[in-house]
Amino acid sequence: MNKILVLILFCIGTFSLQAQTFSVSGMVDEADTGLPLPGVNIIVKNTSNGVVTDFDGNYTINNVSAGDVLVFSYVGFLPQDITVEENQNVIDVTLKTDAAALEEVVVIGYGTQQRKDITGAVSVVSNETIEELNPIKIEQALQGTAAGVNVTPSSGAPGAGINVNIRGIASNSENGPLILIDGYQGDLNTINPNDIESISILKDAQAAIYGIAGANGVVLVTTKSGKKNTAPTVQYDAYVGMQETSRKLPLLNATEYALLLNESYANNGQALPYPNVSDLGRGTNFQDEVFDTSPIMSHNLTLNGGSEKVTYSFGVSHLDQEGIIGAEKSDFQRSTARFNIGVDISDEFKFTANSIYTSLNRRSINENGLGSVLFNALNIPSTFSRDQEDLEGRLGNEIINPLSQIENTFNDYNLNKFNGSFSLDYTPIEELTFTSRIGYSLSNSKGKDFAPIIDYGPGKVFNNVRSTVNQNRINDNSYTYDLFGTYENIFNETHHLTGTAGMTVIRDWGDGLYATGYDVPNNSWDFADISLTTGTNDGLNNSAYKYDIRKLSFFGRLQYDYQGKYLVSGMFRRDASTRFGPENRVGYFPSATAGWILSEEDFLEDSNVISFLKLRGSFGILGNDEAGGAEFYRSLLDGEATYVLNGSLVNGTALGRIANPGAGWEEAEKTNIGIDLRLFNNRVDIAADIFREDRKDLLVAGIPVSGIFGGGAPGSGAPTINAGTTRNEGFEFAINYKENFGDDIRVGIGYNATFLRNEVTAVNGTEFLPGGQFGVGQPQPARFQEGFPIGYFYGYETDGIFQNQAEVDAHPSQETLGAAASPGDIRYVDTNGDGVINVDDRTNIGDPIPTATMGLNLNFNYKNFDFTAYTYASLGNDMVRNYERNQPNVNRHAYYLERWTGPGTSNEVPRVTTGATSNVAFSDFYVEDASYARIQNVQLGYSLPETFLEQVGINRLRVYASVQNLYTFTNYKGFDPSASTGEAIGGGIDYGFYPVPRIFLAGLNLNF
């Protein structure tokens, strides 16, 4: 009995000894340099107990028992497993670099490829760049960071759209790239930038794997996911800030305005409107009144981790941004929730699922058009008081008090969207993987705007004698199903072969409903709902649409390299789209790329200067079907018509747009020759490309056809036909330099530039396509015409100001432009030399497409401090100044203080008069060079020392302050030289663009 008791006590003691836990500390460094490695994951194998090394490579992990295995892992290094011995409290580890892992893996469509093996033109924007820029929208992170990518805001208003063009504008219609998020078609507007791991941009024939949708380039977004054998980590990122306008225009104050108006009346022989100006002072600055200082805040919470079989990443975020005009009446809110889960079901099967929920809420003001808030703020005289209306009708029919306009603006927009994908990978053998993936996007939006009964003065276009409410409901849905296989193998250690083949099924469908109600109870936004309206209207008060587009594609790609230095690949895709009629439904898109890694050759293998050198080239055919509506080959019965039924007039439906069964896709023929070069042990990284794109068979809507077809009927229109070609050619260059100076100083400098030439090489069926608007009642100022850039400005060339009557008499007559010339008027050039100035003298007076764009970016780290600065420049683009109303009594820009008042006083700004002149004709007087350079982001951060954070159980705490859109260097007189409506024809016309705000931020990054 005593022996049994001793044995039991011995076992209990043994078990007790084994159950004892202790802490293990140490440092992790790099084998090649001996430098400490921050961010290394240490986890007790088969548990969730883990930590991350601090900035100095130190770690402490608790609750470790003898016999536990610690797994040390870090991207780019070989993992290490170390078994903990009894009471082993210190374990220092040196990680060796993994040569294969150091080769950056880039997403290229239906697969990945090591960067050194890529033979196409691909730019990559990493999550580090995104985190440094802190963009409100992810498109902003592409500006100045990726060569060949031009990003232009349509407005600085919260939630406004952003235009992205890759290597210029090639089409008269849609020029935005294909957006793929984790393999499914998506929308950058709804993504939280903090959820993105990396962005790949396919710019040349490499995108041919996407066939009919790849002509405008492809943006591949990869969202964040967990990593295997990493401890759970929580990351919280937040910032708060204030916004202000980045620019105000110099306008005439009340005294200057009155004096100038007196002069204009006197020049026409009229009585002075302001006989006494001494008491006017400066008056009301309506820019100061409409611009606000507004708050912005963002919160983002992410959980990442993984075991040997499962990885996970979860995130939620919320952004709240008020507008710098109208405050809460021009605001934007975005909330997101995301998950990404990967499961190794077995050695053969791997399952991945990710999904993003986005909720958007936006309110907006009237902007970017005649009668917009800023248009009114610039044109209403400073002699008006804050609450004064133009009750005498002195200012024309569209200029009203902008503060009243904001007060009477009521609208709301809400979007709820789910999108994501589920995929299953099956690997029967090591060399072969089959992927089955379904992506989906389900969105529902609703919008409402209310116009109250209001009287702004006689004849104003904004007057409303009946209150109305407009409401809409829109459903947009899509799914993408991909089934493809990838085979990769190396034969005889020299032949590396990768083959991919598969199919894609795409369906986009949805519907929309619009309706208007009249006579809102109490004339109030609180009762603005169609169900509560009491009035009727004889016209059509509702409309609806629906669409259902389907595509079926088959694709294949073969990649081969010999000895890791001779690279070739070929791609082919067959697309069928219901956008086109049966005869033109199928398209075939081939491409080929090749590369030669010279640095692998014997004559460069041992170079001390050249670390890597590759020549590459590509050629291929891609397509674009995103133009002219959902379907081109049939009419949609969406026209308007009035019929006589039983002796009464009845509103009904007509044919709508004329069908064209012969329409086919646009075709882009892309050629690219490039070089990749790395110098001085990879410290310097250079990429350069020469490219050309010929876009053929442009889908053009609006070329006139015979009236016998009914194209002039209400709601109808000309058919969409293939009728034009364009050419974009240019040069891209990017250079990056990174260097570590000891343990404390790290420096990175990057510069990229794109030079572009654009030309329309043919237009069929008409001489030109017009676009845009200028003033009231004038011809459209922009054109799509053979021999010129897309959307160039067509008007009169000027030659200074007439200084005296002798100059007027010696010049061809300008009377056909509206009035005979007088001294002080603009002198127009007789471009055709026929002795008279008329419409035949109009010519090319400006190009809205920049000839060069570039970015210069700096990163500097000293110990725990970090500093970044991002800049961007656009050169050679012109913009039309169309925010000035040519009415006698409106306010004016301060440059009119330099007007002509007599011989020799000015040769640039004409005289002022209330009489008729030809000065209002569209000419290069209204076209300005909109080149600019902008300091986009400046940020200074500080990471708290680990010795302090250890005491509170935090892995990392960084605080920072930043300024976005710090300053813009430009000679352009308007609010924002970077803005564009996004239209190919007429996009560079400024009606008073809402300026991008200057944002001051303070934030933190917290990891634990």
Side-chain angles (χ1 to χ4, degrees):
M1 183 66 182
N2 290 338
K3 292 181 179 180
I4 295 175
L5 181 60
V6 171
L7 181 59
I8 291 173
L9 292 175
F10 175 78
C11 291
I12 292 175
T14 303
F15 292 149
S16 176
L17 180 65
Q18 290 180 348
Q20 290 179 353
T21 61
F22 49 89
S23 298
V24 175
S25 301
M27 187 183 78
V28 182
D29 59 17
E30 181 182 351
D32 294 337
T33 64
L35 294 176
L37 284 175
V40 176
N41 287 289
I42 303 103
I43 189 171
V44 179
K45 195 169 186 177
N46 298 323
T47 75
S48 60
N49 181 22
V51 295
V52 178
T53 58
D54 63 18
F55 188 81
D56 298 316
N58 297 314
Y59 75 94
T60 298
I61 185 168
N62 301 317
N63 300 320
V64 178
S65 302
D68 284 346
V69 177
L70 298 183
V71 180
F72 295 79
S73 61
Y74 189 63
V75 176
F77 293 82
L78 296 171
Q80 276 197 45
D81 292 3
I82 296 179
T83 303
V84 180
E85 298 179 1
E86 185 176 338
N87 295 324
Q88 188 178 7
N89 298 109
V90 178
I91 298 179
D92 294 329
V93 176
T94 298
L95 294 182
K96 297 180 180 180
T97 57
D98 183 352
L102 283 176
E103 294 294 346
E104 180 184 359
V105 175
V106 177
V107 177
I108 59 171
Y110 300 103
T112 59
Q113 192 173 22
Q114 290 183 352
R115 183 181 175 187
K116 72 178 184 64
D117 296 330
I118 290 178
T119 48
V122 181
S123 292
V124 178
V125 178
S126 67
N127 67 320
E128 289 86 357
T129 298
I130 296 171
E131 290 174 0
E132 289 169 353
L133 282 168
N134 264 338
I136 297 171
K137 288 190 170 185
I138 191 57
E139 296 97 324
Q140 296 167 326
L142 305 180
Q143 188 176 49
T145 59
V149 180
N150 190 25
V151 179
T152 56
S154 62
S155 165
I162 298 178
N163 311 302
V164 178
N165 299 125
I166 297 175
R167 290 184 169 178
I169 295 174
S171 175
N172 61 291
S173 54
E174 295 294 327
N175 289 279
L178 172 66
I179 308 297
L180 294 172
I181 304 170
D182 293 327
Y184 62 89
Q185 292 192 31
D187 180 7
L188 293 178
N189 184 53
T190 60
I191 303 179
N192 170 25
N194 292 87
D195 290 337
I196 294 177
E197 181 66 30
S198 68
I199 301 175
S200 296
I201 304 165
L202 310 184
K203 298 180 287 187
D204 67 343
Q206 186 90 39
I209 195 70
Y210 293 105
I212 204 170
N216 295 329
V218 181
V219 176
L220 304 173
V221 178
T222 302
T223 59
K224 291 181 178 178
S225 60
K227 295 178 175 59
K228 290 185 176 181
N229 296 317
T230 58
T233 58
V234 176
Q235 180 174 340
Y236 173 66
D237 303 294
Y239 62 75
V240 295
M242 296 302 295
Q243 308 168 96
E244 65 180 22
T245 180
S246 54
R247 198 171 199 198
K248 292 180 181 178
L249 306 192
L251 302 177
L252 301 180
N253 62 36
T255 302
E256 293 167 338
Y257 164 78
L259 290 171
L260 199 73
L261 196 63
N262 284 343
E263 182 181 323
S264 67
Y265 271 65
N267 285 340
N268 197 38
Q270 296 173 277
L272 302 184
Y274 290 95
N276 182 8
V277 301
S278 59
D279 296 329
L280 293 176
R282 301 192 63 83
T284 306
N285 188 324
F286 279 93
Q287 283 187 102
D288 290 342
E289 298 295 336
V290 299
F291 281 122
D292 295 308
T293 300
S294 301
I296 182 174
M297 71 171 184
S298 174
H299 301 274
N300 185 81
L301 184 66
T302 303
L303 171 65
N304 294 314
S307 63
E308 288 190 356
K309 298 292 186 179
V310 178
T311 61
Y312 55 87
S313 178
F314 303 94
V316 293
S317 73
H318 178 72
L319 170 74
D320 193 342
Q321 180 186 17
E322 282 194 4
I324 57 173
I325 301 175
E328 71 278 356
K329 289 199 173 184
S330 173
D331 64 356
F332 176 66
Q333 294 180 343
R334 182 188 64 214
S335 300
T336 67
R338 174 189 62 87
F339 75 82
N340 185 303
I341 298 175
V343 180
D344 290 348
I345 301 173
S346 66
D347 292 339
E348 292 82 18
F349 288 96
K350 179 180 178 180
F351 175 74
T352 304
N354 67 77
S355 188
I356 302 174
Y357 166 71
T358 304
S359 174
L360 301 182
N361 287 278
R362 186 184 183 217
R363 287 174 288 189
S364 59
I365 61 169
N366 188 330
E367 60 171 309
N368 196 30
L370 296 177
S372 69
V373 170
L374 279 178
F375 180 88
N376 287 319
L378 295 177
N379 286 280
I380 188 170
S382 46
T383 54
F384 276 59
S385 62
R386 289 187 78 259
D387 56 356
Q388 183 179 352
E389 305 296 342
D390 182 25
L391 299 179
E392 298 177 0
R394 297 172 51 215
L395 305 178
N397 60 1
E398 73 273 343
I399 297 174
I400 61 176
N401 188 316
L403 299 176
S404 300
Q405 186 178 19
I406 293 173
E407 183 180 353
N408 289 288
T409 296
F410 302 94
N411 59 71
D412 186 52
Y413 170 80
N414 173 259
L415 169 72
N416 290 285
K417 184 172 185 176
F418 283 95
N419 49 260
S421 66
F422 301 92
S423 67
L424 182 66
D425 292 342
Y426 171 53
T427 307
I429 57 176
E430 183 178 355
E431 298 81 10
L432 179 63
T433 299
F434 294 100
T435 298
S436 175
R437 178 176 62 208
I438 185 167
Y440 64 91
S441 176
L442 308 171
S443 68
N444 176 270
S445 65
K446 59 181 180 180
K448 178 168 66 175
D449 66 78
F450 166 60
I453 298 173
I454 188 71
D455 183 6
Y456 292 106
K460 300 296 183 181
V461 295
F462 292 104
N463 288 345
N464 207 27
V465 297
R466 299 182 69 184
S467 59
T468 59
V469 57
N470 300 299
Q471 292 180 249
N472 64 74
R473 297 285 190 277
I474 298 174
N475 294 290
D476 293 309
N477 310 287
S478 69
Y479 74 77
T480 303
Y481 177 67
D482 299 311
L483 177 63
F484 60 95
T486 301
Y487 176 81
E488 182 175 9
N489 205 351
I490 298 177
F491 303 94
N492 297 327
E493 299 183 354
T494 57
H495 304 280
H496 182 197
L497 181 69
T498 303
T500 302
M503 62 171 288
T504 294
V505 178
I506 300 173
R507 184 188 178 198
D508 297 298
W509 78 99
D511 57 75
L513 177 64
Y514 300 81
T516 301
Y518 293 86
D519 301 334
V520 176
N522 301 318
N523 193 36
S524 169
W525 169 250
D526 295 331
F527 297 89
D529 192 275
I530 290 178
S531 64
L532 300 177
T533 56
T534 59
T536 60
N537 185 60
D538 293 336
L540 187 64
N541 300 324
N542 57 69
S543 62
Y545 71 88
K546 66 184 304 182
Y547 64 94
D548 193 344
I549 302 166
R550 308 184 187 203
K551 301 177 186 179
L552 174 63
S553 307
F554 298 93
F555 59 88
R557 178 174 60 208
L558 187 64
Q559 300 162 289
Y560 169 78
D561 73 72
Y562 175 69
Q563 294 184 344
K565 53 187 176 182
Y566 308 112
L567 317 168
V568 294
S569 70
M571 286 163 277
F572 184 81
R573 178 156 172 149
R574 177 193 184 274
D575 279 307
S577 171
T578 60
R579 287 185 184 273
F580 305 106
E583 295 181 359
N584 296 299
R585 187 157 290 174
V586 177
Y588 301 93
F589 304 97
S591 70
T593 68
W596 178 20
I597 303 180
L598 284 80
S599 53
E600 295 292 326
E601 300 289 357
D602 294 340
F603 56 85
L604 285 178
E605 190 174 14
D606 298 324
S607 173
N608 294 324
V609 176
I610 298 176
S611 308
F612 180 82
L613 175 61
K614 177 178 64 180
L615 298 177
R616 48 184 170 77
S618 65
F619 176 82
I621 307 295
L622 301 90
N624 176 34
D625 66 342
E626 298 286 339
E631 295 170 324
F632 312 126
Y633 68 95
R634 64 178 182 176
S635 295
L636 300 180
L637 296 177
D638 56 357
E640 300 176 17
T642 302
Y643 299 89
V644 179
L645 297 177
N646 297 325
S648 300
L649 295 178
V650 179
N651 293 320
T653 299
L655 189 66
R657 187 196 63 235
I658 299 173
N660 178 20
W665 60 89
E666 294 180 1
E667 187 175 272
E669 185 180 282
K670 297 196 178 191
T671 304
N672 190 94
I673 299 174
I675 182 173
D676 295 325
L677 174 64
R678 301 179 205 170
L679 304 173
F680 309 114
N681 197 25
N682 296 315
R683 292 184 180 89
V684 179
D685 189 345
I686 299 172
D689 291 88
I690 298 174
F691 59 87
R692 171 184 288 180
E693 176 187 340
D694 289 306
R695 184 71 64 91
K696 304 175 182 179
D697 296 327
L698 296 179
L699 288 163
V700 179
I703 293 180
V705 296
S706 172
I708 198 173
F709 295 106
S716 185
T720 297
I721 64 176
N722 298 106
T725 62
T726 63
R727 169 170 289 181
N728 273 317
E729 54 188 0
F731 171 70
E732 285 178 7
F733 176 78
I735 180 170
N736 294 280
Y737 168 74
K738 294 182 179 181
E739 183 69 271
N740 293 340
F741 298 94
D743 297 342
D744 296 333
I745 300 176
R746 298 190 298 278
V747 175
I749 302 174
Y751 171 78
N752 65 80
T754 303
F755 302 89
L756 182 70
R757 180 179 180 272
N758 172 273
E759 182 183 357
V760 178
T761 54
V763 182
N764 309 112
T766 186
E767 182 184 355
F768 63 90
L769 299 173
Q773 298 293 330
F774 178 79
V776 177
Q778 296 208 40
Q780 292 180 284
R783 286 190 170 189
F784 181 92
Q785 185 174 357
E786 181 178 342
F788 298 93
I790 294 177
Y792 83 100
F793 302 128
Y794 186 71
Y796 296 97
E797 184 180 346
T798 65
D799 185 24
I801 304 295
F802 288 115
Q803 298 299 316
N804 51 56
Q805 188 61 40
E807 291 185 2
V808 174
D809 296 339
H811 193 72
S813 172
Q814 299 181 173
E815 192 169 356
T816 60
L817 303 189
S822 297
D825 287 340
I826 295 174
R827 177 168 48 202
Y828 299 106
V829 176
D830 182 12
T831 57
N832 62 4
D834 63 357
V836 63
I837 306 297
N838 56 26
V839 293
D840 297 330
D841 290 301
R842 291 178 296 171
T843 186
N844 179 7
I845 58 173
D847 180 3
I849 301 175
T851 55
T853 57
M854 55 193 68
L856 177 63
N857 309 313
L858 171 67
N859 296 270
F860 178 80
N861 294 71
Y862 175 72
K863 293 187 177 180
N864 287 14
F865 289 93
D866 60 87
F867 173 81
T868 59
Y870 284 78
T871 63
Y872 179 77
S874 174
L875 307 176
N877 54 298
D878 298 308
M879 189 172 289
V880 175
R881 191 177 68 251
N882 193 32
Y883 48 79
E884 300 166 326
R885 186 68 174 101
N886 287 308
Q887 288 283 346
N889 299 310
V890 301
N891 201 7
R892 297 183 183 273
H893 193 286
Y895 71 77
Y896 267 93
L897 295 175
E898 307 297 327
R899 69 201 175 281
W900 186 92
T901 56
T905 55
S906 176
N907 201 36
E908 295 180 357
V909 184
R911 67 189 176 114
V912 292
T913 179
T914 59
T917 73
S918 60
N919 296 334
V920 298
F922 179 59
S923 69
D924 57 20
F925 174 71
Y926 298 99
V927 178
E928 295 184 28
D929 180 6
S931 300
Y932 72 94
R934 174 172 289 162
I935 303 175
Q936 292 193 122
N937 185 284
V938 176
Q939 185 177 129
L940 178 64
Y942 177 74
S943 298
L944 274 67
E946 183 65 24
T947 52
F948 169 76
L949 298 178
E950 284 179 353
Q951 303 174 17
V952 292
I954 297 176
N955 294 331
R956 178 183 182 235
L957 177 57
R958 174 180 175 266
V959 295
Y960 65 87
S962 71
V963 184
Q964 296 184 6
N965 302 311
L966 176 61
Y967 192 78
T968 300
F969 301 89
T970 184
N971 291 323
Y972 179 62
K973 295 186 181 71
F975 281 113
D976 192 349
S978 70
S980 170
T981 64
E983 299 171 289
I985 311 173
I989 300 175
D990 185 357
Y991 301 91
F993 281 119
Y994 191 129
V996 293
R998 180 182 295 116
I999 307 176
F1000 299 90
L1001 297 178
L1004 63 87
N1005 309 118
L1006 174 64
N1007 293 52
F1008 54 90

